[in-house]
Amino acid sequence: MQRLDAGAGAEVEGGGDGRTDGEAREGRGGAAEAAARAPGGGDASTPDPHPPPPGGDRRYAWTGADADCRAWFQEQAEARGLAFETDRNGNQWAWLGDPAAGNAVVTGSHLDSVPDGGAFDGPLGVVSAFAALDELRGRGARFTRPLGIVNFGDEEGARFGLACVGSRLTAGALTVEQAHRLTDGDGVTLPRAMELAGYDPGTLGPDPERLARIGAFVELHVEQGRALDLSGDRIGIASAIWPHGRWRFDFRGEANHAGTTRLADRHDPMLSYAETVLAARREAELAGAVATFGKIGVEPNGVNAIPSLVRGWLDSRAADQTSLDTVVTGIEKAAREYAAAHGVDLDVVRESFTPVVEFDHALRDELARILGTRAELKVPVLGTGAGHDAGILSDRIPTAMLFVRNPTGVSHSPAEYAAEDDCVAGVSALADVLEGLACT
């Protein structure tokens, strides 16, 4: 991808959250610094293993914080003598060996975050990739396949509402037309945001040639749950990603005066929305799934005004497609009943969906074989309800994932944490995997 003359330091319009880049990073030392300290989770001399979070990061796509992360990635690549490039969709790559030779082994993750996110989700995988390469060089490993390290852009979807934009575009799972329609909360489109960040959106699109050169992609990630903590294991291998999606519920009522409108005369969409949130919890519990309304928009959004519109976004995930369909259908049925009871109109739009992802069995088994040679390390295989770039790419190339223990299970929060020795164990495990796949 060609950089425009404006450069990464160009002024960036809005982050969709009302805070400037400087405010979003205040107290955390910047996104790149958060990424750089991910393996240690903070100062190793701190006696408290779970220090109180000083505030979250907002490392949104194509903002100043994102530019900091991108600059950090390029610096790390060039410091190791790796060939650096940015692809047509804004994903960053660092190469040891010539990727044109094909059958490359790639590792990495992402550096962006959710609103007020932590320092481990994504950055741990990127930092660990560079650290694993350092360890392999220290071992004197000889590479027989090209090795790539990647930072996928906009994995979290915090700014434009769609997760894994960089990998989706690369895999052809998101069309150029769909990408051009993505808009943040301030009305800035994805192409405009890229231009303001100094990148050319005219290059967006599928990248089959790049994917054809990759023989395996292994993504290391902090576990987003407590399975490893409960089993007492430091490292796990992913078996599958639950099917999941996002749905937008638009409840349209009638704006009116909060003090003078009788309760009997109201068409209040907030009531229908609130009842639907409770229905989502009930339906999820019945199906053994999860369902969350975590984002809401209200119009006209006045303290003394009955809303005319309440827009809520549902995230739902389940172990299988049937369970997910049951949950979402049940929530929508209840929402329509509540809307009718209050004289409110309802529109439901599915904004994104990812079916169940079964990671490549042969690659997964090879990871288990490689790590199984270490007697001191027990590596369980477990599923996950979180989406990842490895899942998006699984239809195009063999992919696998390693998880690093999260002692609290907390993620998408500044309290997200992984102990330093577990992170080091993750680097060592990733190095073993890369050595087994890419070295003699």
Side-chain angles (χ1 to χ4, degrees), residues 40-51 417 420:
D43 185 356
S45 66
T46 303
D48 181 4
H50 305 294
Y417 179 78
E420 183 171 353

Side-chain angles (χ1 to χ4, degrees), residues 242-247 288-291 315-319 324 327 385-387 412:
W242 287 9
H244 55 280
R246 298 178 182 183
W247 291 260
V290 291
D315 178 300
S316 189
R317 309 166 191 235
L324 181 61
V327 171
H412 285 187

Side-chain angles (χ1 to χ4, degrees), residues 31-32 34-36 38-39 57-61 65-66 68-70 72-73 90-93 106-115 117-130 149-159 162-168 217-224 241 246 317 386-393 401-403 411-413 416 430:
D57 289 318
R58 297 189 175 185
R59 305 186 300 270
Y60 295 170
D66 186 49
D68 289 346
C69 290
R70 291 173 174 275
W72 175 88
F73 183 94
N91 305 309
Q92 294 180 296
W93 301 81
V106 176
T107 187
S109 190
H110 62 95
L111 293 175
D112 66 312
S113 78
V114 298
F120 292 82
D121 176 0
L124 180 60
V126 179
V127 173
S128 296
F130 285 119
I149 297 175
V150 63
N151 167 33
F152 283 111
D154 201 5
E155 192 271 353
E156 296 291 4
R159 183 173 181 184
L162 179 66
C164 301
V165 170
S167 57
R168 286 181 191 271
F217 173 56
V218 180
E219 181 176 5
L220 180 143
H221 204 280
V222 67
E223 187 193 5
Q224 294 168 296
I241 296 176
R246 298 178 182 183
R317 309 166 191 235
H388 299 282
D389 292 308
I392 298 297
L393 298 176
M401 292 193 70
L402 293 175
F403 292 129
S411 187
H412 285 187
S413 159
E416 182 178 82
L430 180 60

Side-chain angles (χ1 to χ4, degrees), residues 256-305:
N256 215 326
H257 197 292
T260 61
T261 308
R262 296 190 316 151
L263 295 181
D265 293 337
R266 300 184 180 205
H267 301 285
D268 188 348
M270 186 65 78
L271 295 178
S272 304
Y273 170 74
E275 291 167 325
T276 301
V277 172
L278 297 176
R281 178 61 177 259
R282 289 195 302 269
E283 294 294 331
E285 286 180 337
L286 289 172
V290 291
T292 307
F293 277 98
K295 180 179 178 181
I296 184 174
V298 181
E299 295 179 9
N301 203 28
V303 175
N304 59 350

Side-chain angles (χ1 to χ4, degrees), residues 270-363:
M270 186 65 78
L271 295 178
S272 304
Y273 170 74
E275 291 167 325
T276 301
V277 172
L278 297 176
R281 178 61 177 259
R282 289 195 302 269
E283 294 294 331
E285 286 180 337
L286 289 172
V290 291
T292 307
F293 277 98
K295 180 179 178 181
I296 184 174
V298 181
E299 295 179 9
N301 203 28
V303 175
N304 59 350
I306 299 166
S308 59
L309 169 66
V310 174
R311 174 170 288 154
W313 281 264
L314 169 70
D315 178 300
S316 189
R317 309 166 191 235
D320 59 80
Q321 187 64 53
T322 300
S323 297
L324 181 61
D325 290 342
T326 298
V327 171
V328 176
T329 299
I331 295 171
E332 182 174 348
K333 179 176 181 293
R336 294 196 181 282
E337 291 173 355
Y338 297 139
H342 294 289
V344 169
D345 294 328
L346 172 63
D347 293 321
V348 179
V349 178
R350 189 179 80 178
E351 293 194 337
S352 68
F353 174 75
T354 303
V356 63
V357 172
E358 287 281 349
F359 288 111
D360 186 86
H361 287 198
L363 182 57

